[in-house]
Amino acid sequence: MTTTITRQDLAARIAADIPEGSYVNLGIGAPTLVANYLPEGLEIILHTENGMLGMGPAPEAGRVDPDLINAGKQAVTALPGAAYFQHADSFAMMRGGHLDVCVLGAFQVAQNGDLANWSTGAPEAIPAIGGAMDLAIGAKSVYVMTDLLTKTGESKLVAACSYPLTGVGCVTRVYTDHAVFDVTPDGFAVRETFGGTPSPGSKR
């Protein structure tokens, strides 16, 4: 099976699903691409774990402000009206249910919405969960952006996670390079398929 949608296109697809007026956190890695595709004219306020509301898209080449970075230490921009605050206040927003949406990466998502995205248990893995746990439990909706398959061809959507959990029953929707899945009481439900991916029920 080959990739049928690029990460950039997938980021744009996720951006299109974020309601106007939402306060949103974009996790480290691929989810940060979503900032570049938010629809113009809509007020969607991006939050960074390291202490900013009103983050904008990635800066143009040659216009990087070294004082403006996200939690992944990537250069970002600040939109008019942006606010800065200490780490403790940022985490209070995350833990207090003040974020409408967060977009996170994943190693595995279970059919009941469990999320594993911080460690595979490999010896060289970073032994810290970071703020992902707070985001996964604190945000009202948790979107996952990931490839459907691992590099060895195994599905990242599983019956039960075998990796250490980030959050229990927290995932709302999974966006992959092949399809979008909702997490329902009955498990994964295909919401949309991309490119050459067979539709639900079709023969391959």
Side-chain angles (χ1 to χ4, degrees):
M1 217 186 299
T2 58
T3 299
T4 56
I5 190 171
T6 66
R7 284 192 172 180
Q8 288 74 20
D9 287 341
L10 188 58
R13 176 64 187 81
I14 295 170
D17 274 355
I18 298 176
E20 183 170 16
S22 295
Y23 288 84
V24 181
N25 183 285
L26 304 177
I28 293 172
T32 61
L33 293 172
V34 174
N36 299 331
Y37 297 97
L38 294 173
E40 292 185 15
L42 297 186
E43 185 178 36
I44 295 173
I45 301 169
L46 297 182
H47 165 274
T48 65
E49 183 183 316
N50 55 323
M52 179 166 68
L53 274 178
M55 182 184 78
E60 297 176 4
R63 304 196 56 153
V64 173
D65 183 340
D67 291 325
L68 290 178
I69 60 172
N70 62 20
K73 300 181 181 179
Q74 295 173 308
V76 297
T77 56
L79 300 179
Y84 311 96
F85 35 86
Q86 64 169 320
H87 219 151
D89 291 333
S90 181
F91 271 74
M93 293 179 192
M94 293 155 58
R95 295 169 179 168
H98 302 290
L99 296 180
D100 297 296
V101 177
C102 73
V103 184
L104 299 172
F107 294 130
Q108 292 177 327
V109 179
Q111 61 186 353
N112 67 343
D114 289 354
L115 171 66
N117 82 338
W118 70 280
S119 175
T120 61
E124 69 277 9
I126 299 172
I129 197 168
M133 175 176 61
D134 304 273
L135 289 168
I137 299 303
K140 295 170 186 173
S141 294
V142 177
Y143 295 167
V144 166
M145 178 182 183
T146 186
D147 293 334
L148 179 61
L149 305 177
T150 67
K151 292 180 180 179
T152 56
E154 299 169 331
S155 177
K156 292 188 178 183
L157 274 58
V158 296
C161 293
S162 58
Y163 296 147
L165 294 184
T166 305
V168 174
C170 58
V171 177
T172 308
R173 186 173 296 161
V174 184
Y175 294 81
T176 77
D177 50 349
H178 285 80
V180 179
F181 302 84
D182 283 335
V183 177
T184 77
D186 296 321
F188 294 115
V190 178
R191 181 181 182 88
E192 179 181 352
T193 59
F194 301 128
T197 304
S199 299
S202 64
K203 295 183 180 180
R204 303 180 63 181

